Amino acid sequence: MKTFVQKLDETKKYILKKTKTTGITPRVGIIAGSGLGCIKDGIKNPIVIKYSDIPNFTKSSVSGHAGELILGKLSGVHVAILSGRVHYYEGHSIESAALPTAVLKWLGVETLIVTAATGAINKKYSPGNIVFIKDHINFTGQTPLRGAYLPELGPRFPDISKVYDFNIRQHAIKLAKKFKIKAFEGVYFGVTGPSYETPAEIKAFRKFGGDIVGMSVVGEVIMAGALNLKVLGIAYVSNMAAGIEKGQLKHEDVLDLGAKAVVSVSKIINETLKKLK
């Protein structure tokens, strides 16, 4: 059976074979969450590789996640965009969900921008607001670092207390103000899903210190932290979490709001990339 690192090496070789004549060496990786795949639209002549064609990649089965690796130049910076992600709740291991993040590091990425749709626990937030993630609470009980120690993935017990880069986040907050985008800093509460939370759970999560809740991010960021990647987390509020407002929670609504939020998220990402040149 292949080790995690052997899978990374195999995947890297395949991708480099596809890009060897392009001169593309990605420095920034972007994970596009539900409804945010349009972030890629600013890339001219992108290289698009389907997850299903990439060794060791798993295609997402969730609507709103295209399942494509897109490489090219965005705002003058070489980027690698994961258009769609694999979730633990789809039945995959947390290692499979985090492997694409590690692949980005193997390709030369130094900074990771993670985007996601979230439910608002904090009652001050509203659907459509942007939340810059300053920290997270891993309530999934899972970590992609579990298992045999692999030195290539960093120390056995990595410190990820500062994985959400303060300087990049503060710059992004200034950009949001510049563009008059309603934005906050908040704590991401990571759960497994796929069911939405109960009102009682949301009350508990609020007491624990969560501001937004979602079913991704934490595994990817733990892997990023172990690999010494700087992370900017950008979440958009797709809905108020259970029990805050009346109405049924539906994934279709998440995608609809994502289509609107992508304008704000794209502005922030494009301007942030210019600083990362």
Side-chain angles (χ1 to χ4, degrees):
M1 183 180 291
K2 300 174 189 173
T3 67
F4 191 82
V5 172
Q6 287 172 333
K7 289 179 180 179
L8 290 176
D9 288 337
E10 182 181 23
T11 304
K12 175 186 174 181
K13 287 178 182 177
Y14 176 85
I15 295 170
L16 290 180
K17 188 176 180 180
K18 290 284 185 179
T19 62
K20 65 180 180 181
T21 61
T22 66
I24 295 174
T25 52
R27 290 184 51 233
V28 177
I30 303 171
I31 300 178
S34 296
L36 296 175
C38 293
I39 291 170
K40 68 181 184 297
D41 290 349
I43 299 178
K44 294 181 179 179
N45 302 316
I47 296 171
V48 180
I49 311 173
K50 293 181 180 180
Y51 287 177
S52 55
D53 293 335
I54 303 175
N56 306 307
F57 263 47
T58 305
K59 189 179 186 304
S60 176
S61 62
V62 182
S63 177
H65 292 260
E68 296 174 334
L69 172 64
I70 300 154
L71 300 108
K73 209 169 187 180
L74 188 62
S75 295
V77 178
H78 286 183
V79 299
I81 300 177
L82 295 169
S83 183
R85 52 161 57 94
V86 172
H87 303 80
Y88 176 70
Y89 65 71
E90 294 176 72
H92 308 298
S93 68
I94 195 71
E95 292 82 8
S96 294
L99 183 137
T101 300
V103 168
L104 293 179
K105 171 71 174 184
W106 253 237
L107 292 174
V109 164
E110 300 167 352
T111 303
L112 178 67
I113 300 176
V114 179
T115 70
T118 58
I121 298 172
N122 192 320
K123 295 180 180 180
K124 293 179 181 179
Y125 301 171
S126 299
N129 289 169
I130 300 298
V131 181
F132 295 106
I133 303 172
K134 63 180 180 180
D135 205 346
H136 72 235
I137 297 170
N138 182 7
F139 203 67
T140 69
Q142 303 293 324
T143 171
L145 304 180
R146 178 180 176 272
Y149 173 50
L150 300 171
E152 296 92 338
L153 299 182
R156 169 82 275 192
F157 305 105
D159 178 2
I160 61 169
S161 61
K162 296 180 181 178
V163 63
Y164 295 99
D165 189 86
F166 177 81
N167 292 326
I168 299 175
R169 186 171 71 253
Q170 291 306 306
H171 179 71
I173 290 170
K174 290 178 182 177
L175 291 172
K177 291 179 180 178
K178 174 183 175 181
F179 295 129
K180 295 181 171 56
I181 296 170
K182 189 74 171 177
F184 300 87
E185 286 184 277
V187 175
Y188 182 100
F189 201 100
V191 295
T192 58
S195 60
Y196 289 110
E197 302 72 40
T198 68
E201 287 171 336
I202 293 301
K203 286 182 181 179
F205 297 168
R206 188 180 299 117
K207 290 181 179 179
F208 286 155
D211 292 299
I212 49 177
V213 61
M215 305 170 190
S216 59
V217 173
V218 292
E220 297 158 350
V221 171
I222 289 171
M223 179 61 73
L227 294 172
N228 203 30
L229 290 173
K230 296 178 181 179
V231 175
L232 171 64
I234 308 176
Y236 74 90
V237 176
S238 61
N239 56 273
M240 301 307 292
I244 297 177
E245 292 181 348
K246 294 181 180 179
Q248 188 176 12
L249 300 176
K250 296 183 293 183
H251 186 61
E252 291 78 8
D253 294 336
V254 173
L255 297 181
D256 288 343
L257 199 57
K260 299 174 183 177
V262 72
V263 176
S264 297
V265 175
S266 293
K267 280 184 178 180
I268 293 168
I269 288 177
N270 277 280
E271 292 300 313
T272 299
L273 287 173
K274 291 176 183 178
K275 181 178 176 60
L276 296 174
K277 281 184 180 180

